[in-house]
Amino acid sequence: MEEDAEFKLTASNLKKLGQKKLTREEKKNRQRALDRIGIPNFLSFWRAEKKKQGIEDKEKWLRRTAVEILQLNIGLYCNQACNHCHVESSPKRSEMMDRDTADRCLHILQNSPAVHTLDITGGAPELCSNFRHLVTEARKMKPELKIIDRCNLTVLLEPGQEDLVTFLTEHKVHIAASLPCYSAKNVNLQRGSGVFDKSIQALRLLNSAGYGKEGTNLELDLVYNPLGAFLPPAQEDLKVKYEEELWEMFGIRFSKLFTITNMPIKRFADFLYRRGELEGYMELLVRNYNLNAMETVMCRNILNVGWNGQLYDCDFNQQLDMPLIQTRRSLEEGDKQSDTPSRRPPTVWDLETVNDLNGSVIVVDNHCFGCTAGMGSSCQGTVV
């Protein structure tokens, strides 16, 4: 990490400008790129596309349906520093969810029978102090709950984590593991030297524990994201290739493959901007806009919680400091609402149940073209 030129440039900008100013500059760069190709803001574009396709819909805002997934980003500390990371995690970050906030999230989960999935992410969530507490208590509370651990794989080999695979197995935790390619060269290019070999070693440990094998009820999904400024290939076609390569070369089995579009924010946006590729990437996303994806984008049935307890429509909005507008009670005025966040971001302490958010307005911006391009993109892969 200390020797990587890309990481050092991003870290230098972050230190010089600060997170909020850097985020504002990033947003301006995206909008300038859209302005140069004659594209309005995301909401206006969505409304125009509906009209173009003859869809009669007076709804001005994108609204949440019923929240079914509670996603917790419990910390930004990570043992890796990947060049595509939208969270800007690294071993230098120290932000982590404390016990009081974790317990409040569990309180909301208990009061929200519609939530069928607890999605725990980071950073490397397993290295956060309250990861095991959250998993243990959530499993006790809801035996049938789907608990997802968004795992970078190499964390399984970290000192002090020797019993992690056993813990995940005993609590029937669903693993969503990042593996951006089945070749060492491409993975190491994106994630760092030696990461591929460690990832393969970790996958073998998971397979040995029963993960990825039929009949064990231990799901091991892999997550692919492109190495550059292009859209991911068809998810099912790529899954076949992954299966062939990982089985033939390493004897590894897995459950599903999810393809995720790189969002033009944070470290990846900085990467594109320095190379003069941001405008071209935004044009690619807009050109491949899929109106059908708007019906199933992940922000419509998810609530995202930051490490400090603040509430967001998705993990991308969290990293851009675009909090939830408010709870349902403040949205009952309908058209009087704007898509400008309130001054004090709502937190888990303002919420008793996710039901309070049903029908609430979702905050959108120009980065949202990333979730609606091609077959759509979400934390669960394609959406169309």
Side-chain angles (χ1 to χ4, degrees):
M1 184 182 72
E2 300 292 352
E3 297 176 0
D4 185 86
E6 299 294 342
F7 181 82
K8 287 195 290 186
L9 276 171
T10 302
S12 174
N13 287 336
L14 183 62
K15 184 177 181 180
K16 181 170 60 178
L17 298 175
Q19 186 66 72
K20 288 189 175 181
K21 187 172 182 180
L22 194 61
T23 297
R24 287 196 299 270
E25 287 301 310
E26 176 191 309
K27 178 179 176 180
K28 288 177 183 177
N29 289 335
R30 277 196 306 273
Q31 191 55 53
R32 289 189 194 107
L34 290 173
D35 289 344
R36 285 193 289 269
I37 58 178
I39 300 300
N41 66 56
F42 184 78
L43 275 178
S44 297
F45 187 87
W46 173 50
R47 295 165 188 160
E49 285 297 303
K50 287 193 291 184
K51 187 175 181 179
K52 189 187 300 182
Q53 295 192 26
I55 298 174
E56 292 293 331
D57 185 2
K58 295 182 180 180
E59 181 59 75
K60 294 181 179 180
W61 314 108
L62 184 64
R63 291 183 183 272
R64 186 174 277 98
T65 52
V67 177
E68 299 173 314
I69 301 172
L70 180 60
Q71 184 177 62
L72 310 181
N73 189 319
I74 63 172
L76 303 184
Y77 177 80
C78 186
N79 60 321
Q80 295 181 185
C82 305
N83 61 26
H84 68 289
C85 183
H86 72 273
V87 186
E88 290 187 339
S89 294
S90 79
K92 290 183 175 291
R93 303 299 293 265
S94 59
E95 301 93 326
M96 288 187 192
M97 183 177 286
D98 62 27
R99 179 59 63 90
D100 286 345
T101 305
D103 284 340
R104 183 64 185 183
C105 291
L106 290 167
H107 172 81
I108 293 170
L109 176 65
Q110 188 169 38
N111 292 340
S112 304
V115 172
H116 56 63
T117 300
L118 177 64
D119 187 339
I120 307 177
T121 186
E126 307 89 344
L127 298 180
C128 295
S129 55
N130 283 297
F131 172 76
R132 298 195 187 202
H133 172 69
L134 281 165
V135 170
T136 301
E137 295 306 312
R139 179 57 73 218
K140 288 179 187 175
M141 185 187 302
K142 294 190 174 186
E144 301 305 315
L145 182 72
K146 183 176 184 177
I147 302 176
I148 299 176
D149 170 26
R150 296 202 174 270
C151 180
N152 69 16
L153 292 176
T154 63
V155 68
L156 301 178
L157 308 178
E158 285 288 301
Q161 300 300 320
E162 292 82 5
D163 65 336
L164 181 55
V165 173
T166 300
F167 174 83
L168 296 171
T169 304
E170 289 175 348
H171 291 84
K172 300 291 184 184
V173 176
H174 177 142
I175 306 295
S178 181
L179 190 71
C181 193
Y182 42 75
S183 79
K185 179 180 178 181
N186 288 339
V187 171
N188 291 339
L189 181 66
Q190 186 182 86
R191 315 199 76 187
S193 178
V195 168
F196 181 77
D197 289 342
K198 290 181 179 179
S199 297
I200 294 300
Q201 186 179 345
L203 286 170
R204 284 174 168 158
L205 286 175
L206 290 169
N207 275 179
S208 297
Y211 273 99
K213 296 182 179 180
E214 291 185 12
T216 63
N217 199 30
L218 294 171
E219 295 184 72
L220 171 59
D221 296 335
L222 300 183
V223 179
Y224 162 90
N225 57 280
L227 295 170
F230 52 89
L231 296 178
Q235 188 166 275
E236 287 305 312
D237 293 345
L238 189 60
K239 179 178 184 283
V240 172
K241 188 63 175 174
Y242 262 72
E243 286 175 330
E244 291 175 354
E245 294 290 332
L246 291 178
W247 177 250
E248 291 177 8
M249 297 296 293
F250 308 105
I252 287 170
R253 296 287 192 194
F254 63 95
S255 307
K256 301 185 189 73
L257 176 75
F258 295 142
T259 59
I260 298 180
T261 301
N262 283 330
M263 296 297 289
I265 67 173
K266 297 300 173 184
R267 204 172 286 164
F268 186 63
D270 195 34
F271 171 87
L272 293 174
Y273 182 71
R274 288 200 302 269
R275 283 164 172 71
E277 297 177 1
L278 181 59
E279 181 177 333
Y281 190 64
M282 294 304 298
E283 184 177 14
L284 174 72
L285 298 180
V286 173
R287 190 170 67 247
N288 287 277
Y289 177 82
N290 188 337
L291 183 60
N292 293 327
M294 293 293 289
E295 296 300 317
T296 49
V297 284
M298 64 180 178
C299 53
R300 303 198 77 163
N301 75 334
I302 198 171
L303 171 64
N304 177 274
V305 182
W307 63 270
N308 56 4
Q310 290 185 1
L311 305 179
Y312 301 87
D313 294 306
C314 71
D315 205 41
F316 305 123
N317 280 10
Q318 180 188 148
Q319 307 317 317
L320 294 174
D321 196 25
M322 295 170 53
L324 210 72
I325 293 177
Q326 276 295 344
T327 57
R328 183 177 59 186
R329 284 182 287 275
S330 68
L331 292 164
E332 291 174 349
E333 296 181 5
D335 286 347
K336 293 181 182 180
Q337 282 294 330
S338 74
D339 54 352
T340 302
S342 55
R343 288 186 179 181
R344 185 184 72 82
T347 72
V348 290
W349 306 100
D350 300 315
L351 201 65
E352 281 293 320
T353 170
V354 298
N355 295 343
D356 290 342
L357 300 174
N358 293 346
S360 59
V361 171
I362 296 167
V363 180
V364 300
D365 209 322
N366 49 34
H367 65 286
C368 297
F369 283 109
C371 286
T372 54
M375 299 304 291
S377 181
S378 76
C379 291
Q380 285 76 43
T382 57
V383 299
V384 178

